[in-house]
Every structure is written in C-alpha cells, then in structure tokens.
Amino acid sequence: MLKKYVIAIVLFLVQNVVFAQSKGIILGNLKDKNTQEIIFPGTVILEGTEYKTTTDFDGNYKLEVPVGTYNVKAIYSGYVSLIKYNIIVSSGNAQVVNFEMEVVSSQLSEVTVSNDKSKSAVATDMITPLSVQQLTTEEIKSNPGGNFDVSRVIQTLPGVGSSAGGAARNDIIIRGGAPNENVYYLDGIEIPVLNHFQTQGSSGGAQGILNVSFIEDVRLTSSAFDARYDNALASTFVIKQRDGNPERISGNVRAGFTEAVLTLEGLISKKTTFLASARKSYLDFLFGLIDLPIRPNFYDFQYKVTHKIDEKTTLTAIGLGAIDRFTFATTKSSTPENVFITRSQPYINQWNYTTGFNLKRKVKKGYMNFAISRNMFNNQLDKFVSGEKIESDRTFKLVSQEIENKFRFDINKFIDGWKITAGVSA
C-alpha cells in the first residue's frame, strides 16, 4: 500500500516538473522612441495565438506561454505597431523583449500637385532610409556562419565589405572607408576595441568580444549620422543592450567547439538589475591536439548594471574587457628550419577594457544623457632566442598603450514632429 502512495507522489511531481518546463516567460516594456516616456496601456500580443496582455503603469508587461518560437507585436493607439520576429521562449530564462515605438505621422486628406515653371524643385532628404540598417539579437544568433559574432554578421549586410583577410578577420569596410573610420557605441559609450587580437590602429580582429545575449539591437548608419555621434567618417554602429531580468536571478552556459561562455542576470535590488558574462577559449588546447605550431588563447568579460533612481532618472554602468595571448610551440614534425622561423616570431600579449557610466534623465518632450568613460588598450610583443620566455634570452620587447578618458552630454527633444539634438563632448 505504501509503495502505491510513493509511486503516485513521484508521478505527480514528475508531471508538475514536465508541465513547468513546458512554459516560458516573455517580459519587457514599451516606450516612446523619441521621448523615452512609458506607454500605458499598450497591448502586446503573440501573432497567431490567443496570448496577449497590456502594460502596467510603468510600461511593463509579462506573458507566460508554452515554449516555442513567436512573433511578438506591440500595439498602441497613435503609434506605429512593431513586430519582433522569431523570439525563442525556453523554460530556463525569461526572454526580455522591449519596444521603442514611434508616433504615427499625420495623414493628409488630399494632395494637389501643380506645376510652376518659374520655380525650381529641390529634393531634401534629412535622413536617408537606405543608409540605416538594423539587426536584432535573434537575427544575429540565427545568421548562418555568424558564430554569434556581431562583426561577422554585419559583414553580410548590403553595402558592407571585409578586408583582404576574408574570414580570418572582422574588419568592416563601409563605402570604401577604412576599418578605423567606423565608430562604435555601446549604450551611449564609445568602445574603440570590439575584437580579440585587434590590430593597433584598426578595429578588426579574429573574434568579436561582445556577448550576443546582452544585445537588444544593432543600428548601422552609413550616412546622415546623428549629431551626437561625432568623429565618424564611414559609419556609426549604435549597439543597445537589454537590462537584466527584473524578477529573479538566472543564467545559462554555452559551450562550443572553441569556447565556453557563462552568462548571469537578475535583480540586485528592487530598482537595480545586472547582466554579467565571462568567456574562455580553448583554442590553444585544440591546436595542441592536432599539433599546430600556433597557440592562440583569449578571455573576455562583460557587465551591465542598471539602477532606476526615480521615475525620470536611470543610471547605467557598463564594462567590457578582454585578454589575448598568441604564442608558438614546436611541433613533432618540426624541422630545424621550422623551429628557427617559429622562434623568430614575436609572442603577442594584449589586454583592453572600456568602462563607463551613463545617466539618462527624462525632460519635457525628450531626454538628456550624461556619459563618462575610460578605455585602455595595451599591446605587447615579446621575442626570445630560445622561445622559452627566459628574460636573459630576450631579443625584443615592445609595449604600446592607448588610453582615453571621455565625457559626453547630449539633449534630445521631439517637438511637433521635429527632432532636435545638441550636445558637447570632450
């Protein structure tokens, strides 16, 4: 009799666990794109299903749905409806999907076209739609051959080229401009180093640093740059990160053929959330197994902390860093000539970081940003006669450092259909 009760309890628990694992959560918020004001009561629906909900007084929403892939649509009267496609919902971590909506343009009831030969026609295009391209995190993750690398996915966009190194490097060439003529912004903070094993004076490298799980969207502009993004000659890349899960601490581990990544997110307090990740490659171990003379290895770290000071003010802290090592080893089949050539090559030791704070304050019909940041890139080359890294055998050493401290302020107003931006940077 006792055995039957035990079996019944076990089956009941297993059924509950299976049911719980078949459900996932989609949550996020709706905001006005131009003023950053919350949208209430906006409606969020899953296309092709009966699931829908409305935002609360803070512009937030939450849906508990079966695991699967959905198209999430945001609707609010007077605003252009938005759809985010192929949102994957799993039972492990909540899927954060935010929307920034634009006001519907005024519609004319009637337009009359007339010809006046005494006047000349002048075409004015303040913003060229064809010069702006945008990628979501799902598009980056699902891109064939992208390998969860933002730079590689961007190289597949129309009008974007790569360097002569092909797949070996992440150099981005826009309209014939050099790779170092692109400017990258992460949540309003300029990041000069975006790749591992980056060539000094360029922006490309062998592998991207950014964790795709952090990214909400990437916006590429190849002309008509926004006034607040200075020093751009070829293009600007504005990378927006999402906030951490505001309900609970969660995480995931992704292990691939060449690297492993740990990502954690959650709430620190009622008004503070965080995202953090660390990645380590094991290319040196794999190359050793197949007896190659090169031994590349890298680490990278990334975090974002968001604190809501009050209803109108938000403080964000971000950080991004990497450590790169490139050494050589003697293989089993190495000839004396091969050993000599290998030892004549310098070892590469690089590390870099970017850290900063961004304070966003809502004002009437707009918002202000105050950003301070510091970035540093350390590049060191070492060469030894024996190849054993013995100081007495050193024949070459080069250490180069680039350090920048930056401040930027901008104010953005949206008045009667006109967008006005002004600011200073140093």
Side-chain angles (χ1 to χ4, degrees), residues 194-399:
L194 196 67
N195 294 286
H196 289 283
F197 304 106
Q198 180 162 317
T199 303
Q200 198 161 2
S202 181
S203 62
Q207 173 72 38
I209 296 176
L210 293 175
N211 186 335
V212 177
S213 299
F214 282 39
I215 296 174
E216 187 168 299
D217 59 60
V218 180
R219 184 181 178 89
L220 162 63
T221 306
S222 55
S223 67
F225 310 125
D226 198 314
R228 49 189 170 155
Y229 303 126
D230 58 346
N231 298 325
L233 296 177
S235 70
T236 60
F237 290 83
V238 180
I239 305 166
K240 185 178 180 182
Q241 299 182 112
R242 63 181 180 86
D243 294 333
N245 189 334
E247 296 191 335
R248 62 186 178 90
I249 294 178
S250 59
N252 63 75
V253 176
R254 176 172 60 86
F257 187 68
T258 60
E259 63 191 28
V261 187
L262 170 65
T263 302
L264 293 174
E265 63 176 299
L267 68 167
I268 299 175
S269 67
K270 187 177 180 180
K271 294 185 176 181
T272 309
T273 62
F274 78 94
L275 282 166
S277 75
R279 173 169 57 170
K280 183 188 185 307
S281 77
Y282 28 83
L283 285 170
D284 54 342
F285 174 72
L286 294 176
F287 286 7
L289 290 179
I290 59 179
D291 203 28
L292 289 178
I294 56 175
R295 298 289 191 272
N297 192 20
F298 65 79
Y299 304 80
D300 60 51
F301 317 92
Q302 189 174 346
Y303 72 84
K304 178 182 180 181
V305 179
T306 305
H307 177 66
K308 190 173 182 180
I309 299 174
D310 55 41
E311 292 300 321
K312 294 190 175 185
T313 311
T314 303
L315 177 65
T316 302
I318 71 164
L320 180 71
I323 301 172
D324 304 326
R325 301 285 183 263
F326 197 100
T327 59
F328 299 88
T330 302
T331 64
K332 297 176 183 178
S333 58
S334 293
T335 64
E337 291 80 6
N338 296 142
V339 173
F340 175 79
I341 293 173
T342 300
R343 290 180 179 177
S344 66
Q345 303 300 316
Y347 297 147
I348 300 173
N349 297 282
Q350 295 180 344
W351 54 263
N352 66 81
Y353 70 82
T354 299
T355 184
F357 296 88
N358 188 77
L359 183 70
K360 177 181 284 187
R361 172 76 178 178
K362 295 178 186 177
V363 295
K364 186 178 181 181
K365 295 185 178 181
Y367 59 95
M368 299 184 297
N369 284 312
F370 299 85
I372 57 171
S373 64
R374 176 182 173 88
N375 64 74
M376 183 172 181
F377 180 35
N378 184 89
N379 187 26
Q380 180 172 332
L381 303 178
D382 299 290
K383 190 187 296 185
F384 302 89
V385 173
S386 63
E388 297 297 329
K389 298 183 181 180
I390 300 174
E391 194 61 33
S392 59
D393 292 340
R394 179 186 293 277
T395 59
F396 180 79
K397 181 178 182 178
L398 171 66
V399 179

